[in-house]
Each structure stands twice: as C-alpha cells, then as structure tokens.
Amino acid sequence: MKRWIIGVLVSFIIGTFSACQLNEENLLNQSGAFHIVSGSENITLEPIIQRWSQKNKVKVNISYKGSLEIAQILESGAVSYDAVWPANSMWITLGDSKKMVKNSESIMRSPVVLAIKKSLANQLNWVTGNPTVFVRDLLENMENGKIRLMMTSASQSNSGASAYFSFLNAFAGNPDVLQSEDLVKPELKNQIKHLLGEVNRTSESSGFLKTLFVQKYEQFDAMINYESLAIEANQSLIKEGKEPLFLIYLADGLAISDSPFGYVDHNDSKKLEQFTSLQSYLLSDPIQKEILSFGRRTGLIGINLTEADPTIFNPEWGIDIKKTLSPIKFPSAAVIREALDLYQSAFRKPSFTVFCLDFSGSMAGEGENQLKAAMKQLLLQEEAKKHLLQATPDDVTIIITFNGDIINQWMVNGNDPDNMLSLFQKVQSSETNDGTDIYEPIIKALESIKTENTKGNNPAIILMTDGKSNENNFEWMKTEMQRINAGFVPIFCITFGDADPKELNEISGFTDGFVYDGVKDLIAAFKKAKGNN
Amino acid sequence: MKKWFGIFIFVFLIGGVFVYQMVTEKTKSPYADITIKGIIGSEKSNFLNNPEVKKILLEKYHLTVDFKTSGSIEMVQGDTKDQDFLWPSNSIALELYKTINSKVKSETIFNSPIVFYSWTPVVESLVKLGIVQKRNQIYYVVDMLKLAQMLEKETKWSEIGLPQIYGNLAIISTDPVKSNSGNMFYALLSAMFNDGKVIDMYSVEKVLPKLCTYYQSLGYLEDGSAKLFKQFISAGMGDKPLIAGYESQIIEFILENPSYKELISKQIVMMYPEPTVWSSHPIISLNQNSDRLILSLQDPLIQSIAWKKHGFRTGLAGVQSNPEELGLTQIPGTIDSTIPLPRPEVMSRIIEYLKHN
C-alpha cells in the first residue's frame, strides 16, 4: 500500500517536473527567438549572451559572419536579423543605406595588431626599447621571406580590410588619406598584388583565422588580427607549451574595432524591448568586467585602461594599456568601395578552383535545381559581382560533373564573362542519372590541380552534392591521395537536396575545409570557400 | 413581473455606468491616441527615448513617437513618404526642404551651439599656442583664424608637441554633405577661410577649393553626430583627437553617467569657438498629426527635461536656459560670440561642390 502511495507521488513529481520543462520550452517558443548576426571575433562571448537568454527566457540565435558581409546584408535591405554586431561601426554606416539600424552602442574595443612570434620580433629588434614599427618594415620582411603572414579576406572581414587599407596607404606613399587616383597607379597595383600573393592564406573571419593560426603554428610566423584574439591565441599556445606571440601596434597600420551592437528595426516593439534589455545587460558593470577578462577593452572613456589583469593584457606580449593608439584614416565611402572591388577583381591572390558537381540520380529534382541556381550566381559575373565573388583575370575555374563515374570536365582561364556564361550553359544542360561516387572526382580534381596549376594560384576544391555516395570510400581516397602525391588542398563541401553530411564531414575535416548547407546560406558558403583561397 | 422589473433595473444601471464612462472619457482629453512617424537628427534620439518624455507625450498628449535617425541634409532631400514629420538640426536643412516643397509649416524647438571636443593633452597644446583660452572655468577657441590656417597648412600633430598622434591636425566633423553638425562646422570654417567674414555667392567660389581639399583629406566621415561623439568618447585621443559637435552632447553624457563626471572633466574638454554658429532644431510638419507634436514639445515641462537631462537650450522666444540648473561649471549662460550662417543657396553650393569634386 505504502509503495503504491510513493509510486503515485513519484509519478506526480515527475509529471509536474516535465510539465514545468514543457512550459519553459513553450515560453521560449512563444517569445520567438532573437536573431543576431555578429562578427566571428565575438564567438568567445556567446556564453555571456546565452546566460541572458536563459534568465530572460528568450531564445537567442547568433550567426557569425565577417563584418563586410554584415554590411552587404544591410545594404541588400533583406535583413532577417533583429540585431547586428559587426567589428566596426563604419560597416553599419556604409551598409545601412536604408537606415534600419538604430540604438547602436559600442560594447567593447580592440585594436587590430600584428601578432608575431616573439623570438622573431626580437631578431627584428621590435621588442626592446618600444621601437616604432611601420607597415613598410613588415612588408620588407615579408618580401625577404622572414615573415610568413596570415590575414583574413579584406572583402569579408574587418581586420583583413583594415590591414589591406594600411598596405594600400603605405604603397601610395602614406598620403593623408587614400584617394581614388592612388588606386589606379600601376605601381601601387603591382606592389599590392605581389604582396597579397605573398600572404600565405586568407580566412573569411578573424575568429577562424586565430584558430587556424594556432593549428598551423609551424607554417606561419605572424597574423594580423585583433588584440583580443591574439591574447586568446597566446593562451592556447602557452597551454600547448609553445612560444607566444608579441603584439606590434603598427604606427601607420593600426585600426580600432569598436564592436557596435545595434537594433534592426522591423517595427516589433517586443523585439525592441528584448534588444534594449540585452544591450543594457552587455553594458552593465559586472558584464563589462567579464568582457574585459576576455581581453577586450571596456570602460566608458577612451581605449586606454586604468587597470587590467597583467596575465591577460600581458606586458610581456607587448601589450601596453596606457599607450595612445592612433589608427589609420579610412578613405571616403566611395574609395572604400572602389578599393574593395579592386581587391576582389585584381589584387587578390588568384584562385584555382575545381567544382565537383553531383549529377547522380539522387540529386534529381530539388537538389539539381538548387545546384544549378547556385552555379548561376557564381559563374554569371554580373551576379557574382553583387556579392564580391567575381573571378579575377588570373583565376582558373574547372568544373567536373559526376555520378558513379566522371561525366565531363571543363576549364576556363580568367574572368571573361562570355566564357563563364558558356561554362554555365554547359552546367545548365547537364542531366542527372545513375549512382554516386564522390571520391573519384576529388582525386581527379587533385590531379588537375597538380598538372595545371603551374602559376601557383591558391587551390581549392568545392564539392557540391547530397553526400550519398555508394561507390568507393574515404580510405580509398586517402590511399589515392598518397599515390598521386597530392599537395595540400582544402575541400569545401556544399550540400544540396536531401543531404547526408556524414562522409562530407570526414572529407573536409581531413583537408581543413568546411561543410556548408547550400540551401540555407549559399552565398556565405561560396564566400567562405572562395575567401579561404 | 417583479423579476423582469429587477432585471430591467439592473441592465439600465449597467448601461448607465457604461455610457457615463464613455462620456467622461471623451471629455477628459480632446485627443485620441496616435502614433506619429518621423525622421530626426541622431543627437535627439536619447531625448525622445527618455521614459519621462515618452510618458508626458503619451499621457498628456496621447502621442507615441516612432522615429528613425538620419543626417539632417540627407533627410530633407530623401524620401519622406510615410512620415509625419522631419526634425533636422538646423535652419539650413529647413531652407533646403523649402526649396523643394512650398507651404512648409515649421517651428524651432531647441537651440544648441556648435562646439569642439578634445582631450586634455591636445587642449594644453592649443592653449600654449594661444589658440585656446580658459575664462571663468570655460574654454574658448579665441583664435579661430590661426586654427583654420593650421588646417590649411597641413600641420602635423607632432609639430604642436603631440608626437603620439599620427597624421595631420584635423577637426573631425560628421560628413557635411549628409549631416548637420558637419555642415554647420563647414559654414564656420568657410568664414574662417574668408578672413572671418560670412561667405556669400561671390566669396564662396574662392573658399570652395580650400574647403574641398580639407574635406578630402579627412577620408571616411560618419553620417550622424551621435555616432561621431560616441566614437570620440570610446576610442580615445589617438583615434579622434579633436571633433566638432553640439554643446548638448557632453551635457547629456555627463548627466547620464554621473559617476564619471570627475573622470570626464579630467580627460575631456569642451571648447566654444569664437565665433560659433547656432544649430536650431526645427520640426518640419508634414501633416496635421505633427502639429500636436510641436505643441507637446513646447510644453514647459518637456523643455525643462530637454535642458536639464539632454543639454538642449530652449528654442522658445524670450526664455533662457540656466546653466546653474545643470550643476556643471563649464557651460556659459549665454553664447556671446556667434556668426550668422551663410544663405541657403550658398550652403547648397558648398554641399554640391563637395559632393562632386
């Protein structure tokens, strides 16, 4: 009898508990999720936001994109986000021509610095005596092979754009501010093109660059990134027992990220209320202190800190919290646009991209249509330009169509719009049938890169598929890669249709690529894949 | 029968109460609740977001204001469809609007002089050069002509004893082509490039190339004074050593952050140019709905909040704003040295020239 009573009690308690949980979930759904698009440098701060989310029972979704991509989203006017959080308020001003963003406030500051292995900085006499280092000093040492540099893509990320503009300034002879006339000088064009060719790898965002730099520590000497992310990199490097980086605040190449958090107005008073609450929370004293402990500069007045934890803002790493930071002047909005356009079309290290397109039977219908629409956006140059994805004169594009076997292979050198159009027409007229082997086209692509890429363009493979392979396997691919002695080429997988990313995760994980959902965020996927070039 | 009579009385009473309530509700206020939409200069956002202001507007005037911000010049030249009012920061914007639209109803709500903001080390250098003077706790730029000459000669910060700041001496404003405070600063600067005299349609041609060279040397400029001021405060001396803005901005900032009052006065200095120019903040009414907004903003209580919490001097004739009410010592009661703005067609000429050269 007693057991019976206990049983009922237990069921009652469990029942009540589940009901509570259900209620909580309902609440989350009822209130609707709050969507933020943020620079990837803020990934580390996500737990702080999620705490607010739990306390206020508002679900928060954060998408991470480069700041320039955020500007482009604003410019398109089709902004599905409730708030933006780019690295620099300049990108809001440039993108927000429709005046959708309001109540924006800087949450924290971080300068863009040159973070370089300390022993090398020492060798270059950049450590003792607080010497002034100029952009030309960096360029000279890249030229003579002493510094192998990593930076983000200037057409996608704020830190990359900052570095790019400081390079342009230096090559233009340090004018007060860069003008349109400077950009057309052939000498400047040659110099910047040569320099960007020397930059070992470009990432689409600063957060990813930091992670990659730590992973590829032996292959590179320095990166241009935020002070905050250089601090994070040093924390990881020390944990791994490696030498930390020394931070150089380039006298004529410094930029400051002010991380503005702004509301995107969709006439929804509830969302505005949520935004205001989240913004005040981020600016509240305890949270500002916590953000400071993540190596971001906080405080109401100025970028200098009155006090900071020396194990984080470590003087041994070259960080001086009292130093006056005098950033470069960005050119006018028109010159910024012109320079970014040039970066994409002429200055960027040319790419050698092999697209492997799945035309197997399982892609028939939706998948096939999505794939063709995607290729249209990339190959038709007028379309591509809208997203700063246009090809450069030295780019090489190869398309391999496959099912269980290789169906076709076409190649276009350069960026002639007519050639690209005819390439698209070939894709457009391709048809789906038969089984799938995603591994053979990869090997075929690697072979092509090995034999054709004589100019040393940056290679990448973009595999567009639903991921359902029924011939060959990952182990076979690895063995084949060894057999043909393939070089290091990242493989980016973009999924379509009813996709199964399991095998794709294996492939891209092995080659430092990524798997993207081609339906949800195709342009971002292309950008990431091409930006990594 | 008795039962029916009871029910009848009951319904009658309820109905009576209902009708009475409706009638008294009607007589209590002459207004129905409305929301009006408008575009304003960014420096006034905090004022309109102030809960006290919102409450008075709603309870006394039955108004909710839905606004977005834009540069004053941009807003009068842009699309005003779906808007009830525009609230630029100056009479030039109003005049520009009048050139496109006839029959414009407008009313000046606030006044605020253009001032310079800077950091203590910069101000100390300017004092040494005799450009800035401190009188009765207040800083004045007493030699505007000399300062303008230094801009023209591309003097470097390092030449005036500030090697820690990179590049040339500059007074950063908002983009004069888009935003009012920048536009007014260029009105002031144009007079300085014209030996201190207000420019007209003839003298403007002489100063245009100088103004344009200076404008182009600054590169990227913000489109709103609130953004510029925030960046000035948050990024520090190295980023924005010297800016032009409204007097109201620092007052509002100190009143919002009272615990920082001492730190602000130690680090940041507001300077009144002699002469300066007035920014007048007129509301341009696009339909009848905004007449009520004009009326409500002239309410003495609202005007008092605008001054005591946001630093806007009253725009009402015959009323003076008393700096003692703010508890701040660096604010003068009256601004004695001002220069009139050039005529609207002259300002249009400047804007067009800067846009296209």
Side-chain angles (χ1 to χ4, degrees):
Chain A
M1 176 71 181
K2 267 185 187 167
R3 263 165 67 186
W4 178 79
I5 291 176
I6 289 169
V8 167
L9 268 177
V10 167
S11 337
F12 178 70
I13 290 167
I14 290 174
T16 315
F17 184 63
S18 337
C20 283
Q21 276 203 321
L22 268 180
N23 271 340
E24 194 152 304
E25 245 166 48
N26 280 345
L27 265 175
L28 285 177
N29 291 337
Q30 273 166 14
S31 57
F34 190 83
H35 296 270
I36 302 172
V37 59
S38 162
S40 67
E41 64 282 354
N42 295 332
I43 290 176
T44 328
L45 306 177
E46 181 157 346
I48 294 180
I49 300 214
Q50 293 308 345
R51 284 211 310 269
W52 175 89
S53 155
Q54 274 155 14
K55 197 176 162 208
N56 292 278
K57 303 199 165 34
V58 178
K59 192 169 189 296
V60 178
N61 291 332
I62 311 180
S63 305
Y64 294 100
K65 291 185 191 297
S67 293
L68 277 76
E69 280 186 272
I70 297 176
Q72 282 159 19
I73 292 172
L74 286 172
E75 199 153 22
S76 75
V79 191
S80 54
Y81 302 97
D82 302 308
V84 289
W85 198 4
N88 192 323
S89 45
M90 184 173 82
W91 303 117
I92 296 186
T93 306
L94 282 178
D96 187 25
S97 53
K98 299 184 178 68
K99 307 283 175 204
M100 298 176 79
V101 179
K102 57 188 198 182
N103 302 352
S104 130
E105 293 284 349
S106 164
I107 303 298
M108 68 232 169
R109 271 71 55 200
S110 197
V112 176
V113 300
L114 171 71
I116 177 168
K117 287 176 184 166
K118 193 170 177 180
S119 53
L120 180 57
N122 238 328
Q123 253 180 53
L124 298 166
N125 294 322
W126 289 356
V127 175
T128 35
N130 202 12
T132 310
V133 183
F134 293 94
V135 172
R136 61 168 184 271
D137 300 321
L138 164 68
L139 301 180
E140 258 170 41
N141 285 292
M142 284 168 67
E143 188 67 29
N144 64 26
K146 280 193 183 152
I147 298 178
R148 293 164 300 171
L149 183 79
M150 263 188 173
M151 62 182 263
T152 55
S153 159
S155 61
Q156 290 167 51
S157 151
N158 176 60
S159 68
S162 304
Y164 172 56
F165 279 99
S166 68
F167 294 165
L168 287 176
N169 253 1
F171 286 135
N174 279 322
D176 210 21
V177 73
L178 197 71
Q179 306 288 351
S180 189
E181 301 89 85
D182 296 318
L183 294 176
V184 292
K185 286 181 192 156
E187 206 182 300
L188 174 132
K189 271 193 175 181
N190 287 338
Q191 283 174 311
I192 193 84
K193 199 173 168 184
H194 177 69
L195 172 84
L196 291 174
E198 296 294 305
V199 177
N200 301 60
R201 191 179 167 103
T202 53
S203 258
E204 84 283 2
S205 65
S206 312
F208 177 51
L209 178 75
K210 177 212 74 178
T211 313
L212 195 73
F213 184 85
V214 173
Q215 277 171 10
K216 306 267 166 206
Y217 185 75
E218 306 309 327
Q219 294 165 38
F220 300 95
D221 309 299
M223 65 169 171
I224 289 189
N225 212 329
Y226 299 108
E227 178 188 72
S228 54
L229 294 182
I231 291 173
E232 286 181 17
N234 277 353
Q235 288 164 339
S236 310
L237 290 172
I238 285 173
K239 259 187 212 155
E240 292 172 21
K242 289 177 183 159
E243 181 193 31
L245 303 168
F246 191 79
L247 278 61
I248 305 279
Y249 302 77
L250 293 167
D252 54 349
L254 187 88
I256 292 175
S257 141
D258 61 349
S259 290
F261 184 54
Y263 173 66
V264 182
D265 193 4
H266 293 299
N267 278 329
D268 182 338
S269 57
K270 198 165 183 186
K271 287 278 166 73
L272 177 60
E273 219 172 87
Q274 291 168 347
F275 168 82
T276 312
S277 158
L278 176 55
Q279 191 184 54
S280 338
Y281 162 82
L282 288 171
L283 289 170
S284 66
D285 279 348
I287 300 300
Q288 286 279 297
K289 280 202 183 101
E290 195 177 338
I291 292 176
L292 178 70
S293 75
F294 281 108
R296 275 81 174 162
R297 298 186 182 215
T298 57
L300 201 58
I301 303 166
I303 193 163
N304 296 95
L305 299 169
T306 40
E307 51 183 329
D309 185 344
T311 61
I312 298 163
F313 292 90
N314 193 336
E316 292 288 306
W317 300 340
I319 302 174
D320 177 359
I321 55 170
K322 305 274 185 221
K323 189 185 169 109
T324 302
L325 298 177
S326 197
I328 53 160
K329 266 186 223 163
F330 274 91
S332 67
V335 179
I336 290 178
R337 290 206 174 90
E338 212 177 314
L340 291 176
D341 224 30
L342 271 178
Y343 172 82
Q344 192 59 31
S345 61
F347 295 163
R348 190 174 54 80
K349 189 167 182 178
S351 60
F352 191 111
T353 313
V354 186
F355 292 88
C356 301
L357 309 182
D358 183 350
F359 278 94
S360 65
S362 62
M363 284 284 283
E366 201 190 351
E368 179 188 347
N369 294 338
Q370 286 165 354
L371 186 149
K372 285 178 176 173
M375 291 313 289
K376 186 177 174 186
Q377 299 216 44
L378 191 81
L379 293 177
L380 299 190
Q381 293 301 290
E382 275 310 304
E383 292 281 318
K385 201 174 174 183
K386 287 180 196 162
H387 308 285
L388 287 178
L389 273 168
Q390 66 270 41
T392 76
D394 294 326
D395 277 359
V396 178
T397 310
I398 291 181
I399 288 183
I400 297 173
T401 54
F402 67 92
N403 45 30
D405 297 298
I406 304 291
I407 309 171
N408 268 311
Q409 177 165 345
W410 306 291
M411 180 161 109
V412 166
N413 280 303
N415 60 352
D416 184 283
D418 291 339
N419 292 346
M420 296 300 250
L421 173 68
S422 102
L423 194 56
F424 171 66
Q425 284 162 344
K426 286 172 186 157
V427 173
Q428 183 69 15
S429 57
S430 301
E431 285 171 7
T432 54
N433 60 41
D434 201 14
T436 318
D437 177 1
I438 57 176
Y439 300 102
E440 200 191 340
I442 290 175
I443 296 301
K444 184 89 185 154
L446 287 168
E447 280 173 341
S448 300
I449 289 167
K450 222 181 153 200
T451 50
E452 306 278 354
N453 191 12
T454 45
K455 282 183 285 182
N457 290 16
N458 248 330
I461 295 173
I462 301 180
L463 173 64
M464 297 167 76
T465 174
D466 58 7
K468 294 170 186 162
S469 192
N470 43 26
E471 286 173 49
N472 281 326
N473 59 36
F474 183 55
E475 290 307 318
W476 175 85
M477 184 191 83
K478 285 204 284 191
T479 323
E480 280 297 291
M481 279 167 93
Q482 268 181 352
R483 184 185 63 81
I484 62 166
N485 193 17
F488 173 79
V489 179
I491 301 175
F492 300 95
C493 305
I494 302 181
T495 61
F496 291 97
D498 181 17
D500 177 7
K502 194 176 147 274
E503 287 174 80
L504 305 179
N505 282 329
E506 248 177 3
I507 297 171
S508 49
F510 182 64
T511 60
D512 282 334
F514 273 116
V515 178
Y516 298 109
D517 185 327
V519 184
K520 279 191 203 149
D521 211 355
L522 178 77
I523 296 299
F526 270 147
K527 282 197 165 176
K528 281 174 182 162
K530 295 281 279 184
N532 281 315
N533 264 340
Chain B
M1 179 65 192
K2 255 189 184 174
K3 192 169 129 198
W4 283 112
F5 185 71
I7 289 172
F8 174 75
I9 292 285
F10 180 72
V11 169
F12 181 78
L13 278 178
I14 296 281
V17 169
F18 188 65
V19 169
Y20 175 75
Q21 269 192 338
M22 268 182 50
V23 170
T24 48
E25 199 56 40
K26 274 269 159 93
T27 49
K28 249 195 240 167
S29 163
Y31 303 127
D33 285 355
I34 52 167
T35 295
I36 66 168
K37 290 177 87 168
I39 310 177
I40 69 165
S42 59
E43 67 290 331
K44 293 181 287 277
S45 337
N46 288 348
F47 163 73
L48 281 180
N49 277 332
N50 182 332
E52 268 185 274
V53 171
K54 280 185 170 173
K55 194 170 171 228
I56 297 171
L57 291 183
L58 183 65
E59 289 182 357
K60 196 165 167 188
Y61 296 93
H62 296 258
L63 265 182
T64 305
V65 182
D66 177 9
F67 66 90
K68 55 184 182 178
T69 62
S70 168
S72 296
I73 309 295
E74 264 184 314
M75 80 173 78
V76 294
Q77 294 178 335
D79 182 14
T80 58
K81 209 178 96 217
D82 302 332
Q83 305 300 332
D84 298 307
F85 72 95
L86 303 176
W87 197 3
S89 317
N90 134 318
S91 55
I92 294 172
L94 172 63
E95 295 300 329
L96 285 176
Y97 186 76
K98 281 183 182 167
T99 58
I100 321 165
N101 303 275
S102 55
K103 277 191 190 170
V104 176
K105 190 173 176 189
S106 72
E107 199 71 50
T108 295
I109 305 295
F110 303 140
N111 271 315
S112 201
I114 292 290
V115 298
F116 296 159
Y117 291 109
S118 189
W119 303 85
T120 310
V122 177
V123 177
E124 280 168 0
S125 275
L126 295 175
V127 169
K128 269 187 212 152
L129 291 166
I131 291 171
V132 171
Q133 219 176 58
K134 191 179 182 184
R135 300 196 304 260
N136 304 324
Q137 308 279 334
I138 300 161
Y139 286 88
Y140 294 94
V141 183
V142 290
D143 200 342
M144 279 295 291
L145 286 176
K146 188 173 174 185
L147 186 58
Q149 274 168 12
M150 286 167 70
L151 298 181
E152 206 184 325
K153 281 188 198 151
E154 301 184 355
T155 311
K156 291 203 177 312
W157 288 108
S158 55
E159 291 171 46
I160 65 161
L162 297 161
Q164 67 271 44
I165 307 176
Y166 183 75
N168 293 350
L169 187 147
I171 303 166
I172 314 244
S173 66
T174 55
D175 192 337
V177 166
K178 295 175 177 168
S179 149
N180 178 66
S181 61
N183 193 259
M184 299 204 58
F185 170 66
Y186 276 69
L188 184 60
L189 193 61
S190 67
M192 296 308 121
F193 283 159
N194 190 36
D195 298 326
K197 295 186 292 278
V198 182
I199 49 164
D200 55 27
M201 263 327 229
Y202 298 103
S203 49
V204 69
E205 297 305 323
K206 198 180 74 188
V207 303
L208 280 175
K210 288 184 192 176
L211 279 180
C212 193
T213 307
Y214 177 67
Y215 174 64
Q216 286 179 346
S217 75
L218 296 178
Y220 170 79
L221 295 172
E222 276 301 343
D223 62 354
S225 48
K227 278 189 214 167
L228 175 65
F229 186 74
K230 277 176 195 165
Q231 282 169 20
F232 163 78
I233 295 274
S234 66
M237 182 174 85
D239 186 28
K240 303 258 180 320
L242 178 57
I243 67 161
Y246 299 109
E247 178 198 41
S248 57
Q249 292 178 293
I250 192 86
I251 301 177
E252 184 179 62
F253 185 73
I254 295 176
L255 297 173
E256 266 181 7
N257 304 284
S259 57
Y260 281 84
K261 193 170 158 185
E262 207 179 315
L263 193 65
I264 294 168
S265 58
K266 249 190 210 163
Q267 295 193 33
I268 295 170
V269 180
M270 169 165 59
M271 297 174 282
Y272 292 85
E274 289 188 327
T276 186
V277 281
W278 278 104
S279 167
S280 62
H281 305 278
I283 285 200
I284 301 173
S285 164
L286 302 178
N287 60 38
Q288 277 188 340
N289 283 345
S290 42
D291 293 353
R292 199 194 302 174
L293 178 68
I294 291 177
L295 189 72
S296 67
L297 293 175
Q298 290 171 332
D299 189 307
L301 197 53
I302 295 268
Q303 287 276 326
S304 157
I305 296 172
W307 172 237
K308 288 185 197 161
K309 297 276 167 69
H310 303 279
F312 291 110
R313 293 176 190 251
T314 177
L316 307 184
V319 186
Q320 218 180 54
S321 304
N322 180 5
E324 280 172 22
E325 291 173 343
L326 303 174
L328 300 171
T329 50
Q330 309 89 334
I331 318 282
T334 54
I335 312 285
D336 300 323
S337 176
T338 60
I339 187 167
L341 292 169
R343 292 194 53 78
E345 58 270 25
V346 180
M347 285 314 292
S348 289
R349 172 83 183 115
I350 294 179
I351 294 170
E352 288 308 310
Y353 190 90
L354 295 182
K355 249 191 212 172
H356 299 114
N357 280 284

